[in-house]
Amino acid sequence: MADGTGLLSLRRYTWWTLTGAVVSVLVIFAGGWVVRGDAPAWSRLLGGAALAVSTVAGVALLRRRLAGGARAHATPRGWLAAAAAGSAVAGALQLGSGEYGRWAVAPAITVAVAATFRPARGQRWLLGGATAAAAVPGTVVALLAGDGGPLYAALFPAGLVLFTGWTTLGPLWAWDVAGRLHEARRLAAELAVKDERLRFAADLHDIQGHHLQVIALKSELAARLAEADPARAAGEMREVRRLASDALQETRALVQGYRRTTLEEEISNATRVLAAADIDARMDLATAPAELSATGRHLLGLVMREATTNVLRHSRAARADVRLLVDGGRAHLRVRNDGAAPAAGGAPGTGLAALAERLVAAGGELTWRRDGERFEVAATLPVGAP
């Protein structure tokens, strides 16, 4: 999964959850003061404009944060300044009209969004300082007004900052963890490929290095004996030819063993890979493939590998069904998945087309079809395929 089907879904869920919560809280709790009739019209108009600026800036900041991660981009200072200015104006107007609790909604959200761009230690310092600072304005205004509510004016804004920070940073923390796990999985896959290449290179070096070294020594000896002892030189060259033939055969055997695949291995690998991609893989292996020839296992294994690759690359599948049975002297393999992406130009992939030619040459058949969001690959092959 390039982006990862589950990771993409988590990103969408996180985006809509956070932006929906931010907009709802600002509109319902902070915006309720704007439509209240006892505040001056100019104050409500200015406060509404400030809340609108704070809301738009907060949504833009969250979008940037989810798009690039905590440290992928520098903090967008322009949006942050707009959010801070809007929330400060809206909060000051509401506090001046006696809203000792509701005035802190917009500033608390701005602080929480700003904290998402900070490292863990910076988040704690920012939230801690904002919590302590949030208790001061309401307390001062309440004491000057003498309305008897300084305790509420001190505790509610402070608690609101902590609660907003917790509810905002929690989903983003989960998103960051999922992103790091996805990247770790990608790196693990790349390392596995590199390890396999190194293993193959080491095996090839062991075969070729030994034979080439001996061939070089015997060729040098034969060159020295060409005039003094032609018969022995001819014998050494015959030995060189034998060594070259052995090296060629062993190299071919290594490549064949490296590239050879079996149906059992590919089904086992598909089970692990699909499960790692959060795809519910259902395996219906009613008949063991023991009756299949080695060629049949190899060809159906290639089909299984290609079908699994298509599920991962070209779909957002939640479920895949694999069925294998032997009936009437023929083996039938079917791989079906949901979440298929729309066809690009209507042309089948070159991998399936090439496999179809190989199965036809072995007396079998490979077909694939799309039905809405469902995609199915079906292969049939004689049990004793040559």
Side-chain angles (χ1 to χ4, degrees):
M1 297 180 297
D3 192 19
T5 303
L7 191 66
L8 181 61
S9 300
L10 177 61
R11 183 182 184 275
R12 289 174 177 171
Y13 172 79
T14 306
W15 160 251
W16 285 112
T17 300
L18 286 178
T19 55
V22 166
V23 173
S24 300
V25 169
L26 287 174
V27 170
I28 295 175
F29 293 97
W33 173 82
V34 176
V35 297
R36 198 177 70 179
D38 57 349
W42 69 268
S43 177
R44 290 186 285 116
L45 183 61
L46 181 59
L51 282 176
V53 171
S54 180
T55 302
V56 172
V59 171
L61 287 168
L62 288 176
R63 184 180 183 86
R64 179 72 65 86
R65 174 62 172 79
L66 282 173
R71 300 172 183 82
H73 302 283
T75 304
R77 300 182 182 277
W79 285 116
L80 187 59
S87 60
V89 171
L93 291 173
Q94 294 179 51
L95 183 59
S97 63
E99 292 288 346
Y100 296 138
R102 191 154 46 179
W103 76 268
V105 172
I109 290 178
T110 300
V111 169
V113 172
T116 63
F117 290 90
R118 306 295 299 168
R121 184 178 178 86
Q123 290 175 0
R124 291 192 293 268
W125 279 104
L126 179 58
L127 290 177
T131 300
V136 177
T139 303
V140 172
V141 173
L143 290 175
L144 293 177
D147 55 5
L151 185 61
Y152 170 78
L155 296 181
F156 187 84
L160 187 61
V161 171
L162 288 178
F163 178 77
T164 305
W166 175 63
T167 55
T168 303
L169 294 175
L172 285 175
W173 174 81
W175 160 252
D176 290 338
V177 171
R180 288 194 292 267
L181 289 176
H182 179 72
E183 181 66 14
R185 182 184 298 174
R186 184 188 66 81
L187 292 176
E190 291 183 358
L191 288 175
V193 172
K194 292 179 180 179
D195 288 342
E196 183 64 14
R197 289 174 178 171
L198 290 174
R199 183 196 68 79
F200 180 76
D203 291 344
L204 186 62
H205 176 269
D206 291 342
I207 292 174
Q208 298 282 17
H210 169 73
H211 287 293
L212 291 176
Q213 182 68 28
V214 178
I215 288 173
L217 292 175
K218 286 187 171 293
S219 299
E220 183 180 357
L221 178 59
R224 293 177 181 178
L225 294 174
E227 296 181 0
D229 192 347
R232 186 179 174 187
E236 294 294 338
M237 290 307 300
R238 285 192 294 271
E239 183 68 12
V240 167
R241 184 178 64 181
R242 184 189 66 79
L243 289 170
S245 178
D246 290 346
L248 181 60
Q249 292 178 3
E250 292 184 18
T251 301
R252 286 174 175 172
L254 174 64
V255 173
Q256 183 181 17
Y258 177 75
R259 298 182 63 184
R260 198 77 174 175
T261 184
T262 65
L263 180 58
E264 297 91 329
E265 292 176 354
E266 292 304 323
I267 288 177
S268 175
N269 179 66
T271 303
R272 295 193 303 270
V273 170
L274 293 176
D278 294 329
I279 299 175
D280 183 12
R282 307 290 179 90
M283 301 292 175
D284 183 7
L285 310 178
T287 304
E291 306 173 44
L292 286 170
S293 64
T295 300
R297 285 193 177 92
H298 176 60
L299 289 176
L300 291 182
L302 292 177
V303 173
M304 187 69 217
R305 177 190 295 177
E306 183 66 21
T308 303
T309 302
N310 285 340
V311 172
L312 296 175
R313 289 183 178 178
H314 307 302
S315 76
R316 297 177 179 175
R319 175 172 174 171
D321 297 292
V322 179
R323 185 182 183 190
L324 172 68
L325 60 89
V326 177
D327 182 26
R330 297 181 71 85
H332 302 270
L333 175 65
R334 186 190 69 192
V335 182
R336 179 185 297 169
N337 65 275
D338 59 4
T350 55
L352 289 176
L355 282 176
E357 296 178 359
R358 298 183 65 175
L359 263 72
V360 169
E365 183 184 18
L366 177 64
T367 61
W368 56 92
R369 64 185 182 90
R370 183 187 308 275
D371 183 10
E373 291 190 353
R374 301 192 67 84
F375 190 79
E376 178 179 295
V377 177
T380 179
L381 199 66
V383 170

